[in-house]
Amino acid sequence: MINYDPKSWWGLIFKFHKSDTFRRLLPAMTTVAMFTGAVAYVDRDLLPEGLRGTNLVHSLLGFVISLLLVFRTNTAYERWWEGRRQWGALVNISRNLALKCNAYLRLGHPSRPVIAKHIAGYAVILHDHLRGPGKPESRPGGTHGPNLIANSLIREIDRLHRGGDLSGVQYLNLNAELTAMTDICGACERIKKTPIPYSYSLFIKKFIFVYIVTMPFCFVHEFGYWTILFTTFVFFVLASLELIAEEIEDPFGDDANDLPTEELAKTIGANVSAILLRKWEMVSSDSPKHAASEPTASAL
Amino acid sequence: MINYDPKSWWGLIFKFHKSDTFRRLLPAMTTVAMFTGAVAYVDRDLLPEGLRGTNLVHSLLGFVISLLLVFRTNTAYERWWEGRRQWGALVNISRNLALKCNAYLRLGHPSRPVIAKHIAGYAVILHDHLRGPGKPESRPGGTHGPNLIANSLIREIDRLHRGGDLSGVQYLNLNAELTAMTDICGACERIKKTPIPYSYSLFIKKFIFVYIVTMPFCFVHEFGYWTILFTTFVFFVLASLELIAEEIEDPFGDDANDLPTEELAKTIGANVSAILLRKWEMVSSDSPKHAASEPTASAL
Amino acid sequence: MINYDPKSWWGLIFKFHKSDTFRRLLPAMTTVAMFTGAVAYVDRDLLPEGLRGTNLVHSLLGFVISLLLVFRTNTAYERWWEGRRQWGALVNISRNLALKCNAYLRLGHPSRPVIAKHIAGYAVILHDHLRGPGKPESRPGGTHGPNLIANSLIREIDRLHRGGDLSGVQYLNLNAELTAMTDICGACERIKKTPIPYSYSLFIKKFIFVYIVTMPFCFVHEFGYWTILFTTFVFFVLASLELIAEEIEDPFGDDANDLPTEELAKTIGANVSAILLRKWEMVSSDSPKHAASEPTASAL
Amino acid sequence: MINYDPKSWWGLIFKFHKSDTFRRLLPAMTTVAMFTGAVAYVDRDLLPEGLRGTNLVHSLLGFVISLLLVFRTNTAYERWWEGRRQWGALVNISRNLALKCNAYLRLGHPSRPVIAKHIAGYAVILHDHLRGPGKPESRPGGTHGPNLIANSLIREIDRLHRGGDLSGVQYLNLNAELTAMTDICGACERIKKTPIPYSYSLFIKKFIFVYIVTMPFCFVHEFGYWTILFTTFVFFVLASLELIAEEIEDPFGDDANDLPTEELAKTIGANVSAILLRKWEMVSSDSPKHAASEPTASAL
Amino acid sequence: MINYDPKSWWGLIFKFHKSDTFRRLLPAMTTVAMFTGAVAYVDRDLLPEGLRGTNLVHSLLGFVISLLLVFRTNTAYERWWEGRRQWGALVNISRNLALKCNAYLRLGHPSRPVIAKHIAGYAVILHDHLRGPGKPESRPGGTHGPNLIANSLIREIDRLHRGGDLSGVQYLNLNAELTAMTDICGACERIKKTPIPYSYSLFIKKFIFVYIVTMPFCFVHEFGYWTILFTTFVFFVLASLELIAEEIEDPFGDDANDLPTEELAKTIGANVSAILLRKWEMVSSDSPKHAASEPTASAL
């Protein structure tokens, strides 16, 4: 993911980032421009009468194509945002697991580093799992990485319960988080493996293609060589929307707009080790300094 | 479901897959073209004065029909996506059930293969149940397949609890997953058995029909034989949207865009047997190799 | 609800079902046509100069009215679909209650038929409750039917718990389903008793009325008697959308598009008695034949 | 809230209810009409050449303003509907609390009337709390009414648990409902205290104002005094949408479209006292007559 | 957040608040006006023939840009509203924690002020955490404020449970609230750290820029110096929508439209100390005066 300042207008307008659709569409736009130019030349200089033009159909259907592209934009964005929410949920349950285990297990308990390792490892392996080439299922060795770690973690917690280190109530309190791990993994796999239905993808691309290809024939009579500018600009807008939607739709790749899953996995690792592996111990249970000082004082 | 690369434009534009609406609409498009041609012939060559044409009404109503079709597209897509989410949830709860039972039951416990068989069988039978001809309820023998398996699984788990193999807390931890199975089955039945209200389906089809049939009469005066192209293209766009929506709306059939429920059922079977039936046993509890090596090391 | 095949185009276009808006709007359409004809006659034949016409305002506002009607369509559809989801949830919890009680209570336990009767009865009485004339609250005798049955069921389950037939964990496992019954009833009452805000309903109807009534005056100058066709068709489209929305909005009546609550109540009754009252007993606990045979075999 | 029959068209079109936007906008509409008339007079009769008019900009921006107003309509409606759902949830949890306590506490238990009083009182005081003038927090005495009652109810239930009248499982079963009360109160406060962001409200009103004020100057050249009708009608439509949205947005006031919270509070009181205070006692536990007779018979 | 009366039209139309987009866009609008004036001057007075103009492309694409901006408005509003809901949820769980602890712990228990301090402190520190400069993670000292307090609170509750002051059931009842704290913190971090995908932000700004810059060239031929007004007004509308969306999108800053998190933190502090620290003690358990008097009387 690219960090940027959404409020800097000039920077965004004139910077042509390598993920910018303008750069990526340049070859196609050149082709469209040359094609339109050829149509205009034939119409103007070769045919005695020229083509009979009208913008009626493009106006009528311009509406449909706009609505379709916004529908496409919406669904792509929703997947991207759902992917983000799932990883946000992973951060939350990782923290909650760590916070609860920190409260439940005495300092220095030998399971603390094991649990910390598993929680942090889950995020890392899920990141790998979702970027893996091809279908996530088919990995060498046939093991499903996230399931492997979830398995270890659930067994560890259950062992603690049987051994008496976790009471029944404490075990119940942990159940939702343990279950959520696999739910998050499944949701990410679902987003990754299920693009928008084939028919829509096919239809939208065909529609854009026919719309752009027929445009010069309808407009060249009225606007002559100006049609080159018109057609190219309209093509840029329509194709950009489809291109961005394609990129956003699978938010777990290496594209410029994809989610910062690696960074999130690191955040989880740092948070979990801070909570479970000593760092806070002196501070938190006895003298929550920051919390105790002015803010709460002013609030109560 | 068709696996495809959404980023390959040329492939998608020029491949005419058998589920492509272009191929399926070809006969209807020919009819529309011939009808428009006939109207144009009568107008141009037979009537002395020709028809008085205007595009006003089609412009006004073009807006309504576009919005309606996008509404249709949206609801159809939402059902498809909800169906996908339900099956994703089935994957998740199957994994969670397997992971938890793996932690709760000792290695070699005789209930392990029974539970694995029921979990995997549920997905398979739900797949059959949803593709079954006609109403899912009315099967020969009158039994409701998914209920039958859910019944066996719930009884098995309850038996383990009563026999002392599952503690109360462990039983509580499994309750959500056992309940979710039937919820998922019910949600899929709901999607399958409840198409969009009859009135909307009727109205949208009537509207498209009248819109297309009146188009030649309004346009032929101004555009002559070009109207054939216009009308056919508009018809292609409107009818395609309705066709795709119809196909997506019930995502459990054998259509090209339908959900890969069979493949998902296989994934579930593979995951569950990997977890509950030995494969991981040596690895997971003692040396989670993949998890323990570099990724976690780098994260902590 | 009408069962129909959404893929049969010709059938849907040329069948004029009694719930079809075309049939229901016929008188109003005739009135609009006659009114427009009168305006055209006055304009053409009586007034020396005729009216000055323009389609500008109708184009501008055509956009607003379309968006409003799609907003209306959307909210009506969402209520209808929420109603369907609530009844789907009722099917699910009824099945889950039956499945769990079947696992928890020994064969031949005297509470089995009592529980089966209450679960099945809840759906039946909820159906009656939602169709009842006027406000559901005010029934002769003053009793709230669904509450009455929920009361009996909850007391029965609690009695079983106190008597030792249900362990604490089993009782906890049933709590969500017992609570959901009343939630579903409340949600259906909410949908039934709260139509779209009065102001919107009022405004949309007034807007359609003024839009249609002013149309002939603006169009008759340019299109003469053709305006009759235009105005009537536009009226048909706008009024149909509002009519359908009205019908869908309260999905618990007897309208053609309303939900098949009676059928769903029967499904629940059949499922529950199949599970709790013997039919499956021989099959399910010992030899889940269908589940055990080929499908699971192929999956594992 | 106004109870009305959404299917009565003529009634709704010709009744000018006092909350009708037509009545409320009449003075503003008169002003707009007079202003447009003045512009037309100056243009027609005073200026030798008249203004140069075009509808281009109003067409272009008519689209933006329509979409914005529908966005406004949508968000306002969603708040209204969320408010309704929250109160529906209050009905549900009140009934569930009553039903469960009825099952858990023996007949004649002294806590029954106390609990009934608190449940019913919560809805009444929440109604007051949301209608209270100004910010709900700052009441004379500084007490937060709903919290006060929730406090009493939670303490009462906890006391029953400690005293042995409620088992642990029964107490757990009540927890979700006890928690939901405060969640509902908080959600209603959120809706009440957070209107749409200031910038949007400001921008939409400014946009409508400029749009309407510039309209006569652009249209008067072409349409003369007819512009008065056009401008007034467009103003009526745009301002009505904004007016209705404003009214719907805070659904807890005394406006004609606001939610029937008082009536709902009464329903809750009636339901709770019917369940907990005797009325059903003879009927429900022994002979659930209505449930047992024909409906269930036909279902099983 | 600005408190305002959404029903005061004149105030809102003529007040130019410092957050008003009109004030903030004034310099840019001047530039656009001057640029358009220059184009008009060149066209009118320098070029013999003038430019050939058409509004066709701007009409076609005006549709796309409007839909895109409404998509932008929608997503920005949804984030803002989700942020509000999360803080509303924080209010709810804070109250619920306080209410439950008040019921569970005897008056004067030494943990009461500790718990009150932590609950109130959480909201305060979350407010600081979300306004902190740059990335919330990287604070001096490396501690994550909200986690620190959540840690203390969870440990305190667990300590009470182990010490016997909280029964198992009471501990279970508190678990959802303790978990929700961290979920809320994570959700707010997610909203803060994930703006709309870079590509969309880039594309929308580029699109507006090209749309506005090309406008004079297309319109100046037909409308001359009037184009200045047209272009500036269209620019004002499009840029305002983008500006407002940018501001709303991150609702935790100091912008005029941002959420009143500070005020909410104070409300939480006041509510919690009112519940846990004495103020209500005399009233609530024995004589819930307000609740007992007229409202409940009338309801029962």
Side-chain angles (χ1 to χ4, degrees), chain C residues 84-156:
Chain C
R84 183 62 185 82
R85 266 189 288 121
Q86 296 293 346
W87 272 82
L90 188 62
V91 173
N92 297 346
I93 62 145
S94 298
R95 285 176 180 168
N96 271 322
L97 271 179
L99 289 168
K100 289 181 185 173
C101 288
N102 186 37
Y104 299 165
L105 300 175
R106 68 161 203 281
L107 278 183
H109 191 290
S111 284
R112 282 176 168 252
V114 177
I115 291 171
K117 189 184 67 183
H118 287 330
I119 300 176
Y122 196 82
V124 174
I125 215 165
L126 182 58
H127 165 82
D128 286 357
H129 180 67
L130 294 170
R131 295 229 176 164
K135 293 199 297 173
E137 290 329 299
S138 59
R139 294 165 64 102
T143 51
H144 183 283
N147 278 0
L148 198 68
I149 301 207
N151 191 39
S152 306
L153 185 56
I154 292 175
R155 286 177 74 100
E156 178 70 22

Side-chain angles (χ1 to χ4, degrees), chain E residues 6 25 37 40 42 50 69 77 83 87 97 102 111 133 138 147 157 216 230 246 258 263 284 294 297:
Chain E
L25 284 172
V42 167
L69 284 172
Y77 174 78
W87 272 82
L97 272 179
N102 186 37
S111 285
S138 59
N147 279 0
I157 301 283
F230 295 172
E246 276 170 14
D258 287 342
E263 202 185 312
S284 66
E294 76 281 28

Side-chain angles (χ1 to χ4, degrees), chain D residues 63 125 151 194 196 199 206, chain E residues 4 20 63 84 102 257 290:
Chain D
F63 199 74
I125 216 166
N151 192 39
T194 318
I196 197 180
S199 298
K206 281 206 164 99
Chain E
Y4 67 100
D20 193 340
F63 199 74
R84 183 63 186 83
N102 186 37
N257 294 296
H290 190 73

